[in-house]
Amino acid sequence: DEFEVNVLDVHVLLVDGDKACEEIGSPKVLNMIMLGAAVKNDVLPFSVDDIETIMKKTVKPQFHELNSKALRY
């Protein structure tokens, strides 16, 4: 079977998650690294500041600094 794929706009973003987690110091922040990359590349309709505001309301205080570092990686 043949099929045709028409791609109008593709945005590929490569993030070395292992390296980023190693530099930040924890593999547990990979989700925040990827979220930050998506936001900074306009894949999601909100800002890093928006995420930090919500994070401060929902994440334990001892994890704020690490998550902010990952988000802004």
Side-chain angles (χ1 to χ4, degrees):
D1 293 333
E2 291 184 25
F3 62 94
E4 185 176 322
V5 176
N6 292 317
V7 179
L8 301 176
D9 187 20
V10 173
H11 186 99
V12 176
L13 178 63
L14 300 176
V15 177
D16 187 340
D18 289 332
K19 179 181 176 188
C21 287
E22 185 177 316
E23 289 180 11
I24 292 170
S26 174
K28 293 181 179 182
V29 295
L30 181 58
N31 61 334
M32 294 301 279
I33 293 166
M34 303 307 282
L35 180 60
V39 168
K40 289 184 277 186
N41 285 276
D42 299 320
V43 175
L44 298 172
F46 35 82
S47 70
V48 170
D49 290 336
D50 293 337
I51 295 169
E52 284 187 325
T53 298
I54 298 210
M55 179 184 66
K56 288 177 181 174
K57 295 177 183 177
T58 59
V59 175
K60 292 180 181 180
Q62 64 262 35
F63 301 117
H64 289 180
E65 184 178 345
L66 185 64
N67 280 295
S68 287
K69 187 175 180 182
L71 190 60
R72 295 180 177 279
Y73 178 80

